[in-house]
């Protein structure tokens, strides 16, 4: 019987020493490949029985239809918005992700962005770097802008899933009042966490901080646009560590310029990456990091380990632990 062939797609430093012993146990071999376009994904994955995908490798219906041997595809991350889940089901391919693996890292980034944007930390850092040090002066306060105490304010979490469940207690630890919009969540879960469940409109209108932790679907794409920004408090901040497509970028820029909200802190953007000359990057009340919330050295290794373990389960005829289907992703969680 021919060995199971696993192809690892990605530009990262692959933790071969971790993955190889797992594959050896099931008599599988691994090839590392780095496609740069759809045609290369097809060509490089044609002989794969299983694929591990790191980064933003696409997985469209056209690609799926030509991978005749492939039966399992495992993401070394959570997002599957670049993968055609319906086509995967049609062609009998199991799609798996690493749900929850880096939820702590992402929640820490969300809270870090909240503090950084609301306390104007980068602006104050630049003030010092520009050779200025004038405490308690009108000049400093004008440059910094209005700053409010975080404690006692309200955080609205959109999606109380793996990451949202990590954000909530951290926000509560800062003495924020936490509420959530998640139409698929069991109310008992929120109640047990001391989190108030509200409608989407109420969350938008009453939150001082809005933190997005929803998947990107047809239903959630651009769920924050011009209407939502007009409804938000003028002192509110928007934080996104989920997917850039949840926000209408042009509408966000207009809202920030118009003062319809105080600021936005984004680890993900649409488009991604943002062009260096993008108008959003000219605004002092926009804070952008390069999609790094879930990426730290140890977790990249762990994500790869989880992915290869899913391949191992497939090879042993076992059900995957983190299978994702189209029905699963058509919700906010």
């Amino acid at each position: 019987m021919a060995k199971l062939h696993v192809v690892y797609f990605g530009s990262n430093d692959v933790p071969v020493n971790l993955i190889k012993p797992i594959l050896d146990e099931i008599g599988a071999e691994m090839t590392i490949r780095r496609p740069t376009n759809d045609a290369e994904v097809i060509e490089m994955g044609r002989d794969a029985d299983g694929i591990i995908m790191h980064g933003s490798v696409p997985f469209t219906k056209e690609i799926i239809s030509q991978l005749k041997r492939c039966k399992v595809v495992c993401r070394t991350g959570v997002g599957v918005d670049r993968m055609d889940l319906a086509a995967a089901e049609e062609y009998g391919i199991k799609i798996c992700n690493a749900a929850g693996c880096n939820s702590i890292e992402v929640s820490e980034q969300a809270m870090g962005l909240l503090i950084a944007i609301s306390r104007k930390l980068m602006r104050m850092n630049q003030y010092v770097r520009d050779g200025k040090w004038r405490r308690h002066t009108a000049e400093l306060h004008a440059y910094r802008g209005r700053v409010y105490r975080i404690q006692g304010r309200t955080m609205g979490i959109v999606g109380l899933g793996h990451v949202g469940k990590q954000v909530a207690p951290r926000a509560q630890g800062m003495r924020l009042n936490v509420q959530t919009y998640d139409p698929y969540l069991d109310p008992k879960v929120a109640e047990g966490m001391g989190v108030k469940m509200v409608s989407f409109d109420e969350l938008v209108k009453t939150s001082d901080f809005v933190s997005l932790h929803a998947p990107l679907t047809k239903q959630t794409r651009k769920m924050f646009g011009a209407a939502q920004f007009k409804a938000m408090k003028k002192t509110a901040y928007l934080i996104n560590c989920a997917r850039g497509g949840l926000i209408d970028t042009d509408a966000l820029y207009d809202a920030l310029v118009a003062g319809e909200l105080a600021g936005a802190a984004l680890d993900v953007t649409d488009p991604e990456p943002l062009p260096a000359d993008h108008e959003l990057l000219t605004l002092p009340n926009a804070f952008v990091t390069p999609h790094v919330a879930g990426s730290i050295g140890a977790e990249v290794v762990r994500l790869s380990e989880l992915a290869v373990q899913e391949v191992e389960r497939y090879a042993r005829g076992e059900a995957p632990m983190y299978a994702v289907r189209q029905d699963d992703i058509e919700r906010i969680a």
Side-chain angles (χ1 to χ4, degrees):
M1 180 177 176
K3 278 190 172 185
L4 188 74
H5 184 203
V6 177
V7 174
Y8 191 111
F9 285 145
S11 58
N12 62 313
D13 293 328
V14 182
V16 175
N17 293 338
L18 176 69
I19 294 175
K20 190 175 185 303
I22 299 174
L23 294 178
D24 287 344
E25 289 181 9
I26 57 175
E29 60 181 8
M30 181 177 71
T31 304
I32 299 171
R33 292 169 176 164
R34 296 181 168 86
T36 59
N37 54 54
D38 289 16
E40 289 183 357
V41 173
I42 295 171
E43 183 60 32
M44 295 178 180
R46 201 181 300 278
D47 59 349
D49 298 294
I51 295 174
I52 297 173
M53 286 189 168
H54 180 84
S56 57
V57 179
F59 204 58
T60 63
K61 184 172 183 177
E62 181 183 358
I63 292 172
I64 290 168
S65 67
Q66 298 186 59
L67 302 181
K68 305 299 184 182
R69 288 178 54 173
C70 185
K71 294 300 178 186
V72 61
V73 176
C74 304
R75 278 273 289 118
T76 63
V78 177
V80 290
D81 46 281
R82 290 176 63 85
M83 308 178 85
D84 190 327
L85 301 180
E89 288 188 32
E90 178 185 345
Y91 284 90
I93 297 177
K94 293 286 187 184
I95 302 293
C96 308
N97 68 357
C101 182
N102 57 1
S103 58
I104 291 175
E105 285 68 32
V106 178
S107 67
E108 290 176 346
Q109 177 96 354
M111 295 307 298
L113 290 176
L114 181 156
I115 296 170
I117 189 71
S118 64
R119 297 289 300 180
K120 314 288 180 68
L121 297 186
M122 285 299 294
R123 194 156 176 77
M124 287 296 87
N125 176 66
Q126 190 60 51
Y127 187 77
V128 174
R129 288 172 179 263
D130 289 343
K132 302 173 182 178
W133 186 275
R134 299 180 181 88
R135 295 183 66 209
H136 311 305
T137 63
E139 179 200 26
L140 183 147
H141 292 303
Y143 182 89
R144 184 189 196 189
R146 188 71 180 269
V147 173
Y148 298 90
R149 177 181 290 179
I150 294 172
Q151 178 175 312
R153 296 189 179 273
T154 298
M155 168 178 270
I157 300 175
V158 179
L160 202 67
H162 290 289
V163 179
K165 286 186 177 71
Q166 294 292 337
V167 172
R170 286 165 172 77
Q172 290 164 334
M174 294 184 66
R175 302 297 188 266
L176 281 159
N177 302 308
V178 180
Q179 58 187 14
T180 187
Y181 167 68
D182 189 331
Y184 295 90
L185 183 72
D186 183 343
K188 292 182 180 178
V189 174
E191 182 181 354
M193 298 182 67
V195 175
K196 179 183 178 183
M197 292 192 70
V198 297
S199 69
F200 180 61
D201 288 344
E202 183 177 352
L203 181 143
V204 169
K205 292 176 181 177
T206 62
S207 298
D208 298 292
F209 300 97
V210 176
S211 193
L212 307 187
H213 302 288
L216 180 61
T217 69
K218 292 179 181 178
Q219 288 72 30
T220 63
R221 182 174 292 279
K222 295 187 178 181
M223 66 188 303
F224 275 82
Q228 288 70 42
F229 299 137
K230 290 182 185 301
M232 290 176 70
K233 294 181 178 182
K234 294 184 183 299
T235 54
Y237 292 93
L238 180 66
I239 300 150
N240 189 7
C241 289
R243 283 293 182 267
L246 298 174
I247 296 173
D248 182 330
T249 304
D250 292 338
L252 175 61
Y253 173 81
D254 291 341
L256 290 172
V257 171
E260 292 173 348
L261 65 160
L266 314 172
D267 184 57
V268 289
T269 58
D270 183 24
E272 192 170 283
L274 280 181
D277 60 351
H278 195 282
E279 57 188 3
L280 193 65
L281 300 178
T282 67
L283 301 180
N285 55 347
F287 190 113
V288 182
T289 55
H291 201 151
V292 293
S295 302
I296 62 173
E299 283 310 307
V300 169
V301 172
R302 175 61 179 149
L303 292 170
S304 295
E305 182 182 28
L306 283 180
V308 76
Q309 286 172 344
E310 289 286 65
V311 173
E312 179 186 25
R313 291 185 189 97
Y314 157 74
R316 296 186 189 281
E318 301 171 4
M321 290 185 64
Y322 304 105
V324 182
R325 302 183 308 114
Q326 186 69 28
D327 290 346
D328 298 326
I329 207 66
E330 292 297 332
R331 66 186 190 91
I332 294 177

